[in-house]
Amino acid sequence: MIDGDGFPGGPILRLDGAEDPREARPRSRAAALLIAAAIAAVVAGVAVAVLASGTGYVYGGLPPAGASESAEPVPGEPSAQKKALAKLRGENRRLNAALRARAPRGYWVIVDQTQNRIYLKKDGETVLDARCSAGSGMILKEPEGGKGRRWVFDTPRGVFKVRNRVSDPAWKKPDWAFVEEGKPIPRNDADRIEYGTLGEYAFYLGDGYMIHGTLYERLLGRSVTHGCIRVGRDDLRVLWKHVEIGTPVYIY
Amino acid sequence: MANLGRSGPGGARRAAAAILAVAGALAPQPSMPGGGEDARIEIERLGRENGTLRKYVEMASGKEFYLVLDPDSLSLRLMLRGAVLQDYRVLGVEIGSPRVAFVVRELPEGWRGRTWTSGNLVPPRERERMEVEAPPPTSDPNYEPPPPTIPPTPEELYPVPRRFHVRFAGGLSLEFLRKGEADTAAGRWTRFLEWAGSRWSDLRSALDPSAPDADRVRVRLTLQPRDVDSLYRALPPDTELLILPENR
């Protein structure tokens, strides 16, 4: 037998195959540590999972509202209460009237420009619900050698009023219409006039935007225009019947 | 061809009565309180009601689009300058509060009845803009410009995510659910990824309420699928929101 005695820290070799107790102790300690670490990791994992399952959003019914920020102190005296009530009721009437005054009356038009729908309303009743075509959102760049202009073909959002309405409208083509077609921009205004393109009727909203007819009814329902709102012939006739100068047009 | 005389999305009659209904709902009760406790209750009610009406009038006078949610009458209206543009029928309302380790945070005071601003879609509705350089001008009379390509329909252009929010500045978001939506429409793996993604974003949002995209209160609304799709495709940017308070 060769023993490591006398060689502290040196290699230990037991030829009889038995484990040296000095080596077995650290090994079992390491194993125990490993097991403890694994258990701790599992426990921590479970704890995190449990806490995570309780973290996020919990949904329920409508809770009672908290105190209103506009709540004012209530007077205790009956006469003061009466006065406060009268004041509040007067204000309530004024506010309700102001709210009603802002709502459109008579005929008015709504354009849903992303879904290409046009509605004609009378007060709150829907008189017409039709497909239309709004701005394509395309960007047109002038070719090299031009003025370097850039046009964005969006339909604007907001409230507009019909400024003019025209039967058999002529289109005075703007520069972009020539640029897009690869044609030279005419110097003479008369060369810009085109008939038939806008359909039977046009309603002018300002800044060159119109509601008008189209030669391409198959494209209705798609965003294809240069910012105007195109409507099919039959629907345009309904609009012509009811939409006057001053009729509000809400585009969203 | 159009639908003549038919109701628009969300019901024209309800849209027609929207302003009057709101005004009516907010109108003072005719009964005269006897005094004391009754008068105090009436004064408080009218005070709250007028506070809401003031905000309503303020929104109707502004240039922004706004949503008005009435949880009691289950309606959500998209409005501009006092005009009801769309009236969505709400089929269910749930209020979500953040909770951390099972501890539920309190909802911010006065979340109903205040104006929430800068509402935007999450994920946003992206618009891919085509940029075209015009051909060089030619005076050739025989030149024909190339025919324009047929653009996609709105349904193709704006696919609606299965889960989306309208998030407002200050920590409120509207979350939209489709009624009776079949989860089997997507694959198992896709559903798992969506679930994991939404769990992760919920965890982050609940754990860090100071984060800009954290929700302090969530209002989950169940709508008809077509209304959910329509709202996602049409909601203008920077919309405001007023949630009408109870006990009006």
Side-chain angles (χ1 to χ4, degrees):
Chain A
M1 167 186 156
I2 302 169
D3 203 328
D5 286 348
F7 298 95
I12 297 163
L13 182 62
R14 286 180 69 115
L15 296 179
D16 58 4
E19 264 191 24
D20 188 294
R22 285 173 300 172
E23 190 191 27
R25 233 174 282 127
R27 259 193 211 164
S28 63
R29 202 177 300 139
L33 278 173
L34 209 67
I35 290 166
I39 290 170
V42 168
V43 169
V46 169
V48 167
V50 168
L51 290 177
S53 76
T55 302
Y57 285 82
V58 58
Y59 290 87
L62 282 163
S68 169
E69 57 191 68
S70 61
E72 288 168 21
V74 179
E77 282 291 306
S79 60
Q81 282 183 347
K82 210 172 170 183
K83 215 170 164 182
L85 259 177
K87 190 181 156 198
L88 283 167
R89 283 184 173 157
E91 188 191 13
N92 195 287
R93 273 193 296 273
R94 275 196 304 279
L95 288 166
N96 272 308
L99 200 57
R100 277 193 295 270
R102 275 159 180 79
R105 269 173 263 171
Y107 286 99
W108 50 293
V109 177
I110 303 177
V111 177
D112 176 347
Q113 56 138 322
T114 51
Q115 301 188 91
N116 294 301
R117 304 292 308 184
I118 187 164
Y119 307 96
L120 174 66
K121 300 263 184 178
K122 189 184 180 197
D123 300 321
E125 197 71 31
T126 304
V127 178
L128 174 76
D129 170 0
R131 283 186 308 157
C132 65
S133 281
S136 65
M138 195 183 84
I139 299 167
L140 177 70
K141 281 162 63 182
E142 202 165 17
E144 274 183 37
K147 294 178 185 169
R149 287 176 292 180
R150 197 170 166 270
W151 293 273
V152 181
F153 298 133
D154 278 344
T155 300
R157 288 188 167 96
V159 189
F160 302 83
K161 280 202 167 156
V162 173
R163 295 187 179 186
N164 197 8
R165 44 176 251 149
V166 177
S167 156
D168 293 323
W171 183 33
K172 188 181 171 193
K173 289 171 78 173
D175 285 0
W176 55 255
F178 295 96
V179 171
E180 189 179 38
E181 290 174 356
K183 290 181 179 167
I185 297 167
R187 293 188 181 167
N188 188 348
D189 267 5
D191 294 336
R192 290 176 179 265
I193 305 297
E194 198 171 279
Y195 291 93
T197 317
L198 303 181
E200 293 177 3
Y201 309 108
F203 302 90
Y204 292 81
L205 305 177
D207 289 333
Y209 294 102
M210 288 176 262
I211 298 174
H212 59 73
T214 178
L215 300 171
Y216 309 102
E217 295 221 0
R218 69 195 168 93
L219 293 181
L220 289 171
R222 295 170 193 259
S223 303
V224 290
T225 78
H226 299 90
C228 287
I229 296 131
R230 294 183 193 165
V231 181
R233 191 188 59 179
D234 296 339
D235 303 322
L236 196 63
R237 286 176 180 172
V238 176
L239 291 177
W240 182 255
K241 218 167 146 185
H242 302 293
V243 174
E244 302 290 341
I245 292 173
T247 299
V249 178
Y250 295 77
I251 305 177
Y252 70 101
Chain B
M1 175 55 191
N3 303 315
L4 277 171
R6 275 184 52 201
S7 290
R13 285 188 183 278
R14 282 181 303 109
I19 291 295
L20 291 175
V22 168
L26 293 172
Q29 302 298 314
S31 60
M32 184 69 191
E37 186 61 14
D38 284 353
R40 190 187 62 75
I41 291 168
E42 181 67 355
I43 288 169
E44 282 180 350
R45 191 188 66 77
L46 271 173
R48 280 197 302 272
E49 199 171 286
N50 287 358
T52 307
L53 272 171
R54 273 194 292 272
K55 282 168 196 144
Y56 216 137
V57 172
E58 200 178 293
M59 287 170 111
S61 311
K63 287 184 178 174
E64 303 293 338
F65 290 89
Y66 55 99
L67 289 164
V68 177
L69 172 65
D70 186 350
D72 298 323
S73 71
L74 294 174
S75 88
L76 176 69
R77 295 181 202 112
L78 173 63
M79 300 181 72
L80 177 65
R81 299 273 186 110
V84 180
L85 307 179
Q86 284 286 355
D87 190 2
Y88 302 102
R89 194 155 66 91
V90 177
L91 304 169
V93 183
E94 286 178 291
I95 307 303
S97 318
R99 68 172 182 175
V100 177
F102 298 100
V103 180
V104 179
R105 288 211 181 98
E106 276 192 24
L107 295 173
E109 204 170 275
W111 64 275
R112 277 180 84 168
R114 68 166 268 197
T115 308
W116 298 88
T117 58
S118 308
N120 283 297
L121 289 165
V122 179
R125 184 182 64 231
E126 301 286 1
R127 179 170 204 175
E128 278 183 32
R129 287 185 184 276
M130 199 165 61
E131 200 164 326
V132 174
E133 187 165 321
T138 171
S139 45
D140 178 1
N142 297 323
Y143 171 76
E144 280 294 320
T149 52
I150 294 179
T153 61
E155 290 76 24
E156 293 162 342
L157 205 57
Y158 306 115
V160 181
R162 277 154 40 86
R163 184 189 196 228
F164 72 89
H165 293 248
V166 180
R167 185 162 284 138
F168 296 86
L172 181 137
S173 83
L174 297 179
E175 182 185 0
F176 291 92
L177 291 186
R178 290 174 174 78
K179 184 179 185 275
E181 182 187 58
D183 260 4
T184 48
R188 198 175 291 173
W189 183 239
T190 312
R191 274 183 286 146
F192 172 74
L193 286 179
E194 280 177 359
W195 173 83
S198 78
R199 275 294 292 148
W200 175 244
S201 81
D202 283 3
L203 267 170
R204 274 183 40 228
S205 179
L207 284 170
D208 185 7
S210 62
D213 59 346
D215 298 329
R216 291 159 68 207
V217 52
R218 268 190 195 165
V219 182
R220 183 187 267 176
L221 303 174
T222 306
L223 271 64
Q224 291 289 357
R226 71 189 177 113
D227 284 347
V228 174
D229 294 349
S230 167
L231 189 134
Y232 184 81
R233 292 196 180 107
L235 191 78
D238 293 324
T239 305
E240 297 183 340
L241 169 72
L242 176 67
I243 302 178
L244 297 181
E246 60 180 352
N247 303 326
R248 297 193 303 274

Coordinates of all heavy atoms in Angstrom, one line a residue, chain B residues 168-224:
Chain B
F168 N -54.5 56.5 -23.6 CA -54.6 57.9 -23.4 C -53.5 58.4 -22.5 O -53.0 57.6 -21.6 CB -55.9 58.3 -22.8 CG -57.1 58.0 -23.7 CD1 -57.6 56.7 -23.8 CD2 -57.6 58.9 -24.6 CE1 -58.7 56.4 -24.6 CE2 -58.6 58.6 -25.5 CZ -59.1 57.4 -25.5
A169 N -53.0 59.6 -22.6 CA -52.0 60.1 -21.7 C -52.6 60.2 -20.3 O -53.7 60.5 -20.1 CB -51.7 61.6 -22.2
G170 N -51.8 59.8 -19.4 CA -52.2 59.8 -18.0 C -52.5 58.5 -17.4 O -52.8 58.3 -16.2
G171 N -52.5 57.4 -18.3 CA -52.6 56.1 -17.8 C -54.0 55.4 -17.9 O -54.3 54.5 -17.1
L172 N -54.8 55.8 -18.9 CA -56.0 55.0 -19.1 C -56.0 54.4 -20.5 O -55.5 55.1 -21.4 CB -57.3 55.9 -18.9 CG -58.6 55.2 -19.1 CD1 -59.6 55.6 -18.0 CD2 -59.2 55.4 -20.5
S173 N -56.4 53.2 -20.6 CA -56.6 52.7 -21.9 C -57.9 51.9 -22.1 O -58.4 51.3 -21.2 CB -55.4 51.8 -22.3 OG -55.5 50.5 -21.8
L174 N -58.4 52.0 -23.3 CA -59.6 51.3 -23.7 C -59.0 50.0 -24.4 O -58.2 50.1 -25.3 CB -60.4 52.0 -24.7 CG -61.1 53.4 -24.2 CD1 -61.9 54.0 -25.3 CD2 -61.9 53.1 -23.0
E175 N -59.5 48.9 -23.9 CA -59.1 47.6 -24.5 C -60.4 47.0 -25.2 O -61.4 47.0 -24.6 CB -58.6 46.7 -23.4 CG -58.1 45.4 -23.9 CD -57.8 44.4 -22.7 OE1 -57.9 44.8 -21.6 OE2 -57.3 43.3 -23.0
F176 N -60.2 46.5 -26.4 CA -61.4 46.1 -27.2 C -61.4 44.6 -27.4 O -60.3 44.0 -27.7 CB -61.4 46.8 -28.5 CG -61.7 48.2 -28.4 CD1 -60.7 49.2 -28.3 CD2 -63.0 48.7 -28.3 CE1 -61.0 50.5 -28.1 CE2 -63.3 50.0 -28.1 CZ -62.3 50.9 -28.0
L177 N -62.5 44.0 -27.1 CA -62.7 42.6 -27.3 C -63.8 42.4 -28.3 O -64.8 43.1 -28.3 CB -63.1 41.9 -26.0 CG -62.1 41.7 -24.9 CD1 -62.6 40.9 -23.8 CD2 -60.8 41.1 -25.4
R178 N -63.7 41.3 -29.2 CA -64.8 41.0 -30.1 C -65.7 40.1 -29.4 O -65.2 39.1 -28.8 CB -64.2 40.4 -31.3 CG -63.4 41.3 -32.2 CD -62.8 40.4 -33.3 NE -62.1 41.2 -34.3 CZ -60.9 41.8 -34.1 NH1 -60.3 41.5 -32.9 NH2 -60.4 42.5 -35.0
K179 N -67.0 40.3 -29.6 CA -67.9 39.3 -29.0 C -67.9 38.0 -29.8 O -67.9 38.0 -31.0 CB -69.4 39.9 -29.1 CG -70.4 39.0 -28.5 CD -71.8 39.7 -28.5 CE -72.8 38.9 -27.8 NZ -73.3 37.8 -28.5
G180 N -67.8 36.9 -29.0 CA -67.9 35.6 -29.6 C -66.8 35.3 -30.6 O -66.9 34.5 -31.5
E181 N -65.6 35.9 -30.4 CA -64.5 35.7 -31.3 C -64.0 34.3 -31.0 O -63.7 33.9 -29.9 CB -63.4 36.7 -31.0 CG -62.3 36.5 -31.9 CD -61.1 37.4 -31.6 OE1 -60.6 37.3 -30.4 OE2 -60.7 38.2 -32.4
A182 N -63.8 33.5 -32.1 CA -63.3 32.2 -32.0 C -61.8 32.2 -31.9 O -61.1 32.7 -32.9 CB -63.8 31.3 -33.2
D183 N -61.2 31.7 -30.8 CA -59.8 31.7 -30.7 C -59.1 30.7 -31.6 O -57.9 30.8 -31.9 CB -59.4 31.4 -29.3 CG -59.1 32.7 -28.5 OD1 -59.2 33.7 -29.1 OD2 -58.7 32.5 -27.3
T184 N -59.9 29.8 -32.2 CA -59.3 28.8 -33.0 C -58.9 29.4 -34.4 O -58.3 28.7 -35.2 CB -60.3 27.7 -33.2 OG1 -61.6 28.2 -33.6 CG2 -60.4 26.8 -32.0
A185 N -59.3 30.6 -34.6 CA -59.0 31.2 -35.9 C -57.5 31.3 -36.2 O -57.0 31.1 -37.3 CB -59.6 32.6 -36.0
A186 N -56.7 31.5 -35.1 CA -55.3 31.5 -35.2 C -54.7 30.1 -34.8 O -55.4 29.4 -34.1 CB -54.7 32.6 -34.4
G187 N -53.5 29.9 -35.2 CA -52.8 28.6 -34.8 C -52.5 28.6 -33.3 O -52.4 29.7 -32.7
R188 N -52.2 27.4 -32.8 CA -51.9 27.3 -31.4 C -50.6 28.1 -31.0 O -50.6 28.7 -30.0 CB -51.7 25.8 -31.1 CG -51.8 25.5 -29.6 CD -51.7 24.0 -29.4 NE -52.9 23.3 -29.9 CZ -53.0 22.0 -30.0 NH1 -52.0 21.2 -29.6 NH2 -54.1 21.4 -30.4
W189 N -49.6 28.0 -31.9 CA -48.4 28.6 -31.6 C -48.6 30.2 -31.6 O -48.0 30.9 -30.8 CB -47.3 28.2 -32.7 CG -46.0 28.7 -32.5 CD1 -45.3 29.5 -33.4 CD2 -45.1 28.6 -31.4 NE1 -44.1 29.8 -32.9 CE2 -43.9 29.3 -31.6 CE3 -45.3 28.0 -30.1 CZ2 -42.9 29.4 -30.7 CZ3 -44.2 28.0 -29.2 CH2 -43.0 28.7 -29.5
T190 N -49.3 30.6 -32.6 CA -49.6 32.1 -32.7 C -50.3 32.5 -31.5 O -50.0 33.6 -30.9 CB -50.5 32.3 -34.0 OG1 -49.9 31.7 -35.1 CG2 -50.6 33.8 -34.2
R191 N -51.3 31.7 -31.0 CA -52.1 32.1 -29.9 C -51.2 32.2 -28.6 O -51.3 33.1 -27.8 CB -53.2 31.2 -29.6 CG -54.5 31.5 -30.4 CD -55.6 30.6 -30.1 NE -55.4 29.3 -30.7 CZ -55.8 28.2 -30.2 NH1 -56.4 28.1 -29.1 NH2 -55.6 27.0 -30.9
F192 N -50.3 31.2 -28.5 CA -49.4 31.2 -27.4 C -48.5 32.4 -27.4 O -48.3 33.0 -26.3 CB -48.5 29.9 -27.4 CG -47.5 29.9 -26.3 CD1 -47.8 29.7 -25.0 CD2 -46.1 30.2 -26.6 CE1 -46.9 29.8 -24.0 CE2 -45.2 30.2 -25.6 CZ -45.5 30.0 -24.3
L193 N -47.9 32.7 -28.6 CA -47.1 33.9 -28.6 C -47.8 35.2 -28.3 O -47.3 36.0 -27.6 CB -46.5 34.0 -30.0 CG -45.4 33.0 -30.4 CD1 -44.9 33.2 -31.8 CD2 -44.2 33.1 -29.4
E194 N -49.1 35.3 -28.8 CA -49.9 36.4 -28.4 C -50.2 36.5 -27.0 O -50.1 37.6 -26.3 CB -51.2 36.4 -29.2 CG -51.1 36.8 -30.7 CD -52.3 36.7 -31.4 OE1 -53.4 36.3 -30.8 OE2 -52.3 37.1 -32.6
W195 N -50.5 35.4 -26.4 CA -50.8 35.3 -24.9 C -49.5 35.7 -24.1 O -49.6 36.6 -23.2 CB -51.2 33.9 -24.5 CG -51.4 33.7 -23.1 CD1 -52.4 34.1 -22.3 CD2 -50.4 33.2 -22.2 NE1 -52.2 33.8 -21.0 CE2 -50.9 33.3 -20.9 CE3 -49.1 32.7 -22.3 CZ2 -50.3 32.9 -19.7 CZ3 -48.4 32.3 -21.2 CH2 -49.0 32.4 -19.9
A196 N -48.4 35.1 -24.5 CA -47.1 35.5 -23.8 C -46.8 36.9 -24.0 O -46.4 37.6 -23.0 CB -46.0 34.6 -24.4
G197 N -47.0 37.5 -25.2 CA -46.7 38.9 -25.4 C -47.6 39.8 -24.6 O -47.1 40.7 -24.0
S198 N -48.8 39.4 -24.5 CA -49.8 40.3 -23.8 C -49.5 40.2 -22.3 O -49.6 41.1 -21.5 CB -51.2 40.0 -24.1 OG -51.7 38.9 -23.5
R199 N -49.2 38.9 -21.8 CA -48.8 38.7 -20.4 C -47.6 39.6 -20.0 O -47.6 40.2 -19.0 CB -48.5 37.3 -20.1 CG -49.7 36.4 -19.8 CD -50.5 36.8 -18.5 NE -49.7 36.6 -17.3 CZ -49.8 37.3 -16.2 NH1 -50.6 38.4 -16.1 NH2 -49.1 37.0 -15.1
W200 N -46.6 39.5 -20.9 CA -45.4 40.3 -20.6 C -45.7 41.8 -20.6 O -45.2 42.5 -19.6 CB -44.4 39.9 -21.7 CG -43.1 40.7 -21.6 CD1 -42.6 41.6 -22.5 CD2 -42.2 40.7 -20.5 NE1 -41.4 42.2 -22.1 CE2 -41.1 41.7 -20.9 CE3 -42.1 40.1 -19.3 CZ2 -40.0 41.9 -20.0 CZ3 -41.0 40.3 -18.5 CH2 -40.0 41.2 -18.8
S201 N -46.5 42.3 -21.5 CA -46.7 43.7 -21.5 C -47.6 44.1 -20.3 O -47.4 45.1 -19.7 CB -47.4 44.2 -22.8 OG -48.7 43.9 -22.8
D202 N -48.5 43.2 -19.9 CA -49.3 43.4 -18.7 C -48.4 43.5 -17.4 O -48.6 44.3 -16.5 CB -50.4 42.3 -18.5 CG -51.5 42.5 -19.4 OD1 -51.5 43.4 -20.2 OD2 -52.5 41.7 -19.4
L203 N -47.5 42.5 -17.3 CA -46.6 42.5 -16.2 C -45.8 43.8 -16.1 O -45.7 44.4 -15.0 CB -45.6 41.3 -16.4 CG -46.0 40.0 -15.7 CD1 -45.0 38.9 -16.2 CD2 -45.9 40.1 -14.2
R204 N -45.2 44.2 -17.2 CA -44.4 45.4 -17.2 C -45.2 46.6 -16.8 O -44.8 47.4 -16.1 CB -43.8 45.6 -18.7 CG -42.5 44.9 -18.9 CD -42.0 45.2 -20.3 NE -42.1 46.6 -20.7 CZ -42.6 47.0 -21.8 NH1 -43.0 46.1 -22.7 NH2 -42.7 48.2 -22.1
S205 N -46.4 46.7 -17.4 CA -47.3 47.8 -17.2 C -47.7 47.9 -15.7 O -47.7 48.9 -15.1 CB -48.5 47.7 -18.1 OG -49.4 48.8 -17.8
A206 N -48.0 46.7 -15.1 CA -48.4 46.7 -13.7 C -47.3 47.0 -12.8 O -47.4 47.6 -11.7 CB -49.0 45.3 -13.4
L207 N -46.1 46.5 -13.1 CA -44.9 46.6 -12.2 C -44.4 48.0 -12.2 O -43.8 48.5 -11.2 CB -43.8 45.6 -12.6 CG -44.1 44.2 -12.2 CD1 -43.0 43.3 -12.9 CD2 -44.0 44.0 -10.7
D208 N -44.5 48.7 -13.3 CA -43.9 50.0 -13.4 C -45.0 51.1 -13.8 O -45.1 51.4 -15.0 CB -42.7 50.0 -14.5 CG -42.0 51.3 -14.5 OD1 -42.3 52.2 -13.6 OD2 -41.1 51.5 -15.4
P209 N -45.7 51.5 -12.8 CA -46.8 52.4 -13.2 C -46.3 53.8 -13.7 O -47.1 54.6 -14.3 CB -47.6 52.6 -11.9 CG -46.7 52.1 -10.8 CD -45.7 51.2 -11.4
S210 N -45.0 54.1 -13.5 CA -44.5 55.4 -14.0 C -44.1 55.3 -15.4 O -43.8 56.4 -16.0 CB -43.4 55.8 -13.1 OG -42.3 54.9 -13.2
A211 N -44.1 54.1 -16.0 CA -43.7 54.0 -17.4 C -44.7 54.7 -18.3 O -45.9 54.7 -18.0 CB -43.6 52.5 -17.8
P212 N -44.3 55.3 -19.4 CA -45.2 56.1 -20.2 C -46.3 55.2 -20.8 O -47.4 55.8 -21.1 CB -44.3 56.7 -21.3 CG -43.0 55.9 -21.2 CD -42.9 55.4 -19.9
D213 N -46.1 53.9 -21.0 CA -47.1 53.1 -21.6 C -47.9 52.3 -20.5 O -48.5 51.3 -20.8 CB -46.5 52.2 -22.7 CG -45.5 51.3 -22.1 OD1 -45.0 51.6 -21.0 OD2 -45.1 50.3 -22.8
A214 N -47.7 52.7 -19.2 CA -48.4 51.9 -18.2 C -49.8 52.3 -18.0 O -50.1 53.5 -18.2 CB -47.7 52.1 -16.9
D215 N -50.7 51.4 -17.8 CA -52.1 51.7 -17.6 C -52.5 51.7 -16.1 O -52.3 50.7 -15.5 CB -53.0 50.6 -18.3 CG -52.7 50.6 -19.8 OD1 -52.4 51.7 -20.4 OD2 -52.9 49.5 -20.4
R216 N -53.0 52.8 -15.6 CA -53.4 52.9 -14.3 C -54.9 52.4 -14.2 O -55.3 52.0 -13.1 CB -53.3 54.3 -13.7 CG -51.8 54.7 -13.5 CD -51.7 56.2 -13.5 NE -52.3 56.7 -12.3 CZ -52.7 58.0 -12.3 NH1 -52.7 58.8 -13.3 NH2 -53.2 58.4 -11.2
V217 N -55.5 52.5 -15.2 CA -56.9 51.9 -15.3 C -57.1 51.5 -16.8 O -56.8 52.1 -17.7 CB -58.0 52.9 -14.8 CG1 -57.9 54.3 -15.5 CG2 -59.4 52.4 -15.0
R218 N -57.8 50.3 -16.9 CA -58.1 49.8 -18.2 C -59.6 49.6 -18.3 O -60.2 49.1 -17.3 CB -57.5 48.4 -18.4 CG -56.2 48.5 -19.0 CD -55.7 47.2 -19.5 NE -54.3 47.3 -19.8 CZ -53.5 46.2 -19.9 NH1 -53.9 45.0 -19.7 NH2 -52.2 46.4 -20.2
V219 N -60.2 50.0 -19.4 CA -61.6 49.8 -19.6 C -61.7 48.8 -20.7 O -61.3 49.2 -21.9 CB -62.3 51.1 -19.9 CG1 -63.8 50.9 -20.1 CG2 -62.1 52.2 -18.8
R220 N -62.2 47.7 -20.4 CA -62.3 46.6 -21.4 C -63.7 46.6 -22.0 O -64.7 46.5 -21.2 CB -62.0 45.3 -20.8 CG -62.0 44.1 -21.8 CD -61.8 42.8 -21.1 NE -60.4 42.4 -21.0 CZ -60.0 41.4 -20.3 NH1 -60.8 40.6 -19.7 NH2 -58.7 41.0 -20.3
L221 N -63.8 46.8 -23.3 CA -65.1 46.9 -23.9 C -65.3 45.8 -24.9 O -64.4 45.5 -25.7 CB -65.2 48.3 -24.7 CG -65.0 49.6 -23.9 CD1 -65.0 50.8 -24.8 CD2 -66.1 49.7 -22.8
T222 N -66.4 45.2 -24.8 CA -66.8 44.1 -25.8 C -67.8 44.7 -26.8 O -68.8 45.3 -26.4 CB -67.4 42.9 -25.1 OG1 -66.6 42.5 -24.0 CG2 -67.6 41.8 -26.0
L223 N -67.4 44.6 -28.1 CA -68.2 45.1 -29.2 C -68.4 44.0 -30.2 O -67.7 43.0 -30.2 CB -67.4 46.2 -29.9 CG -67.6 47.7 -29.4 CD1 -67.1 47.9 -28.0 CD2 -66.9 48.6 -30.3
Q224 N -69.3 44.2 -31.1 CA -69.5 43.3 -32.2 C -68.2 43.3 -33.0 O -67.6 44.4 -33.2 CB -70.6 43.8 -33.1 CG -72.0 43.6 -32.5 CD -72.5 42.2 -32.4 OE1 -71.8 41.3 -32.8 NE2 -73.6 42.0 -31.8

